Amino acid sequence: MPVRWFLLSLALGPSPVVLSLERLMEPRDAARCSPGLSCHLWDGDVLCLPGAVEPAPGPVLVPTRLQTELVLRCHEETDCNLCVRVSVHLAVRGHWEEPDNEEPFGRAADPELEEPRNASLQAQVVLSFQAYPTARCVLLEVQVPTALVQPGQSVGSVTFDCFEAALGAEVRIWSYTQPRYQAELNFIQRLPALPWLNVSADGEDVHLVLDVPEEQHFGLSLYWNQAQGPTKPWWHRNLTGPQTITLNHTDLVPCLCIQVWPLEPDSVRTSICPFTNDTRAHRNLWRRARLQLLPPRGWRLVSPCSLPTEATLCWQAPGRGSCQPLVPPLTRENVTVNVSSWEKLQLQECLWSESLGPPKDDMLLVETRGPQDNRSICALEPSGCTPLLSGASTRAARLGEQLLQDLQSGQCLQLWKNDLGALWACPMDKYTHQRWALVWLACLLFAAVLFLLLLLKKNHVKGWLRLLKEDVYSGAAARGRAALLLYSADDAGFERLVGTLASALCQLPLRVVVDLWSRRELSAQGSLAWFHAQRLQILQEGGMVILLFSPGAVALCQEWLQDGTSASGAQHRPHDAFAASLSCVLPDFLQGRAPGRYVGAYFDSLLHPDAVPALFRAAVPVLALPSQLPDFLRTLRGPGAAARPGGLRNRAQQVSRALQPALDSCLQPPGARETGLEMGLEAGDRT
């Protein structure tokens, strides 16, 4: 791909700037003229002999101004030298001399005297260049047509490419004509002494090549430039040239800038920001952005760069897909965060769910205020925002008066407030208890009748109790417990192994939830929404979340922990719930909420125990399968569950026997695995 060259220049302006230099792929010198002029460059250099000033015999061309420009002369794609391009501006000096003896009576003059007036002007322009230890002189022949010859007027310019020079050199340029009709023009310029910076891409890496003389010391700093406030330093080194710095493409963001300066007293620092319009940099910016919610009503968006965007409140019913705007909407608040115009990407976080305690059966009320302090209140339901005092047949309408009384008596929690409205959460527990009071009374009556029937048939009751005791010893305490199994779909063989493990756990019995059996729901809701709904339901029921580690799962976790970048940056299957769940799983471990809610596992023949990140091993048990199956099953059953001696061991042996064929198939090479026994995953929704 083409290489971009940048000159970090201090000499070309009062403040440090960055010039993008033109690259000349022609290794030989060349000359060109402005429109209307013709020019020719003599081959080779000439002697620099200005000579004495002579009087002009008539109109002559003389140099009036010198102009220089820095370019790159490249012998190969990446082998370039600094070069000085010189432009000489020319003008006409002098007049045509009138003949002394004009013919009387209007007779025409001699044609030989008129010929010089109709001829074009020619000049030999010399350019002399000195930059220690180099000295050169070149000769350019310029011809101007008669139509452009106006005494005292500029006729155009001639440009020479180019004189090579070194960084930091002082160059002196003279220009005159042969013969010389006026004093020499001269020009002195000091070339920049800062290093060349070459920014190039090679696959997944970005190279910063600083081409400076050997043993020259300079400082290099990478920082994040901010629209407001001080810059954020990221990387700093004192180096000796030349150097090549390699960055990963994921490190690029639009505000990443490079600062270079010589390690000398009172040196001036020069900066360049080459990734402002880079598409990858804007994509990385969104992946590194993090929305943080700060109790009680604060929030913050963290990312390297600062750009304007918008934030608003939305609400989400459990298990009902994406977050929806509030109806009627509350006023949006402007905030300085990171955004780019190339895509519309939304960051979403649940409203201080952990700070409010465990999930509750609350009703969200939206309060809006009119221009004359008129208040209207509606309740958020899946069908929309229902006015409390309405005749609708929804739950909020039936309890409208009670909810309004709760709001006025201070029983509701205020989640948000501004000048135009507020958001409230009103508990619904007491109304649920009232509705179920008669149901509980009926259940107690039924239990009493059943007890009397059992007393009448004592022998049958003894047999039933014997069966019940056996069931308890064989693990019936875990019958009603649910487990959510999360894994990374590394390949088809590992998916078959996961399906076998889930099927075996269902025989304990456990109620196992796994995305393999919920593909239809995943397609309808999306991986993130599906995981949120299942996790909420499992934890409300007192179940556990199983994290099944594999090489792919470990890589995803390390990407989150080391780089702070979302796992969505990699390529995952559309039904991969493990990648989608990391945004909620990792905060539980980082904030100490994982014990008792999570358990880790891995297949000891597929993964070394030290490969599991220390964050998980320090927080929850991480057990090897099948060698630690008894401990794994004991953790899933939970504390207080009774089991007869040897019963748990027998269950572990059953699960181990079921896993072994699938585990052996997973360990086979890919070719042998395809010809071996194929294990079909159980289809359908088992949740």
Side-chain angles (χ1 to χ4, degrees):
M1 62 176 294
V3 181
R4 295 186 62 194
W5 288 82
F6 297 95
L7 174 61
L8 307 180
S9 171
L10 293 177
L12 300 180
S15 61
V17 295
V18 178
L19 296 180
S20 179
L21 299 185
E22 179 182 347
R23 305 174 68 210
L24 304 178
M25 301 307 296
E26 177 59 48
R28 296 178 299 178
D29 295 339
R32 66 179 186 275
C33 304
S34 58
L37 279 65
S38 60
C39 56
H40 171 70
L41 173 65
W42 279 35
D43 295 335
D45 292 357
V46 298
L47 293 177
C48 300
L49 299 174
V53 176
E54 300 180 5
V60 294
L61 291 177
V62 294
T64 58
R65 183 164 61 94
L66 290 176
Q67 184 178 354
T68 62
E69 180 184 359
L70 298 180
V71 295
L72 292 174
R73 170 171 280 173
C74 300
H75 304 280
E76 295 180 1
E77 184 70 21
T78 58
D79 182 14
C80 300
N81 296 324
L82 184 63
C83 207
V84 180
R85 170 185 289 166
V86 182
S87 297
V88 184
H89 294 262
L90 303 172
V92 178
R93 179 181 177 183
H95 301 271
W96 297 107
E97 294 184 358
E98 296 294 336
D100 295 335
N101 300 320
E102 295 184 357
E103 291 293 330
F105 309 111
R107 201 181 315 172
D110 190 343
E112 293 184 359
L113 297 176
E114 294 292 333
E115 183 177 352
R117 297 172 179 257
N118 298 327
S120 60
L121 287 183
Q122 295 184 354
Q124 291 185 338
V125 181
V126 177
L127 284 176
S128 175
F129 177 85
Q130 290 186 6
Y132 181 83
T134 303
R136 295 185 59 192
C137 278
V138 296
L139 180 63
L140 300 97
E141 290 187 349
V142 184
Q143 185 172 353
V144 182
T146 306
L148 298 179
V149 177
Q150 297 291 333
Q153 299 295 323
S154 175
V155 296
S157 63
V158 57
T159 300
F160 171 75
D161 286 331
C162 57
F163 297 113
E164 292 190 11
L167 283 169
E170 182 180 83
V171 300
R172 297 172 179 266
I173 305 172
W174 293 269
S175 179
Y176 54 89
T177 59
Q178 288 184 346
R180 187 158 64 96
Y181 301 113
Q182 65 176 20
E184 305 164 342
L185 288 181
N186 63 81
F187 183 84
I188 301 177
Q189 178 182 10
R190 177 167 296 278
L191 301 185
L194 288 177
W196 295 95
L197 176 63
N198 169 18
V199 182
S200 63
D202 180 14
E204 298 296 318
D205 296 328
V206 176
H207 301 294
L208 309 179
V209 181
L210 291 105
D211 186 11
V212 297
E214 294 187 3
E215 306 305 325
Q216 178 178 342
H217 303 287
F218 64 94
L220 176 66
S221 175
L222 302 179
Y223 65 93
W224 293 320
N225 192 30
Q226 303 298 308
Q228 298 178 354
T231 61
K232 297 180 181 179
W234 179 48
W235 188 88
H236 169 80
R237 292 290 187 278
N238 291 334
L239 304 172
T240 302
Q243 288 285 341
T244 299
I245 310 298
T246 301
L247 303 176
N248 192 284
H249 73 98
T250 58
D251 296 327
L252 304 185
V253 290
C255 62
L256 178 62
C257 299
I258 307 164
Q259 191 175 77
V260 186
W261 67 96
L263 295 180
E264 300 173 355
D266 301 326
S267 61
V268 180
R269 302 190 178 200
T270 300
S271 299
I272 175 179
C273 302
F275 308 110
T276 303
N277 299 319
D278 192 294
T279 303
R280 294 175 304 173
H282 284 276
R283 187 180 299 112
N284 293 336
L285 179 62
W286 267 113
R287 292 173 181 167
R288 300 179 67 168
R290 290 291 178 272
L291 180 61
Q292 297 179 353
L293 299 172
L294 309 174
R297 298 183 185 89
W299 56 276
R300 176 178 60 195
L301 195 140
V302 181
S303 115
C305 307
S306 296
L307 292 171
T309 189
E310 224 175 36
T312 185
L313 286 178
C314 62
W315 77 287
Q316 182 181 31
R320 292 186 177 270
S322 61
C323 198
Q324 302 296 326
L326 292 178
V327 181
L330 296 181
T331 304
R332 297 186 176 186
E333 302 289 344
N334 290 329
V335 64
T336 299
V337 293
N338 308 305
V339 70
S340 75
S341 58
W342 69 278
E343 64 176 348
K344 293 183 179 179
L345 181 61
Q346 294 180 348
L347 301 177
Q348 175 184 320
E349 287 292 336
C350 297
L351 185 61
W352 313 292
S353 57
E354 300 301 336
S355 64
L356 295 176
K360 303 174 182 178
D361 185 18
D362 291 348
M363 181 71 70
L364 287 178
L365 303 183
V366 178
E367 176 187 354
T368 56
R369 298 185 180 93
Q372 298 181 355
D373 202 22
N374 296 327
R375 285 201 318 169
S376 62
I377 301 175
C378 63
L380 288 175
E381 294 184 297
S383 58
C385 202
T386 306
L388 292 186
L389 302 179
S390 68
S393 58
T394 63
R395 181 187 183 191
R398 290 193 300 267
L399 300 174
E401 294 184 1
Q402 293 91 324
L403 290 174
L404 191 57
Q405 293 176 1
D406 293 343
L407 181 62
Q408 295 172 350
S409 61
Q411 299 183 34
C412 299
L413 175 64
Q414 188 179 78
L415 303 177
W416 194 271
K417 180 182 179 181
N418 59 20
D419 295 337
L420 300 179
L423 183 65
W424 303 85
C426 297
M428 301 292 289
D429 297 341
K430 58 181 180 180
Y431 303 112
T432 304
H433 295 160
Q434 293 176 3
R435 185 175 61 181
W436 287 99
L438 294 177
V439 177
W440 283 113
L441 182 59
C443 291
L444 291 176
L445 181 59
F446 176 77
V449 173
L450 182 60
F451 181 72
L452 292 176
L453 292 176
L454 293 177
L455 290 178
L456 295 176
K457 297 186 177 182
K458 188 181 301 184
N459 294 332
H460 294 284
V461 171
K462 289 183 179 180
W464 179 80
L465 290 176
R466 190 181 303 110
L467 293 176
L468 179 62
K469 183 179 180 180
E470 291 290 333
D471 191 34
V472 170
Y473 277 132
S474 62
R479 180 181 301 275
R481 201 171 198 202
L484 174 60
L485 179 57
L486 297 178
Y487 70 99
S488 174
D490 292 2
D491 52 38
F494 189 78
E495 278 191 317
R496 289 194 292 269
L497 181 59
V498 172
T500 303
L501 174 62
S503 299
L505 293 178
C506 288
Q507 305 301 321
L508 290 183
L510 280 171
R511 187 173 67 85
V512 180
V513 179
V514 64
D515 63 350
L516 284 173
W517 301 336
S518 306
R519 292 292 169 83
R520 183 175 300 175
E521 293 182 17
L522 280 173
S523 299
Q525 301 179 12
S527 298
L528 184 60
W530 180 86
F531 167 76
H532 273 293
Q534 298 300 329
R535 172 179 172 272
L536 180 63
Q537 182 177 355
I538 293 296
L539 296 181
Q540 282 181 336
E541 296 175 358
M544 298 196 73
V545 179
I546 304 172
L547 299 179
L548 186 58
F549 291 99
S550 65
V554 170
L556 289 173
C557 295
Q558 290 176 345
E559 181 181 354
W560 267 90
L561 295 173
Q562 294 178 3
D563 299 337
T565 56
S566 171
S568 62
Q571 296 295 326
H572 303 297
R573 297 179 56 181
H575 301 305
D576 195 348
F578 187 89
S581 66
L582 286 179
S583 61
C584 288
V585 169
L586 286 179
D588 285 345
F589 281 85
L590 292 172
Q591 299 175 17
R593 299 192 302 267
R597 306 167 77 179
Y598 292 81
V599 63
Y602 64 95
F603 294 101
D604 43 17
S605 57
L606 299 180
L607 188 69
H608 193 274
D610 294 338
V612 179
L615 173 67
F616 300 93
R617 288 186 277 114
V620 300
V622 180
L623 305 173
L625 304 181
S627 59
Q628 292 181 302
L629 263 174
D631 295 335
F632 179 69
L633 299 181
R634 186 178 296 108
T635 303
L636 291 181
R637 292 195 319 166
R644 66 179 181 180
L648 192 61
R649 191 183 311 111
N650 294 335
R651 295 286 185 176
Q653 292 176 357
Q654 295 176 10
V655 176
S656 179
R657 285 194 298 268
L659 287 176
Q660 198 60 46
L663 189 58
D664 294 340
S665 175
C666 195
L667 292 173
Q668 291 178 358
R673 191 186 307 167
E674 293 175 1
T675 58
L677 179 63
E678 297 185 0
M679 298 177 58
L681 297 176
E682 296 185 23
D685 184 4
R686 296 284 301 270
T687 63

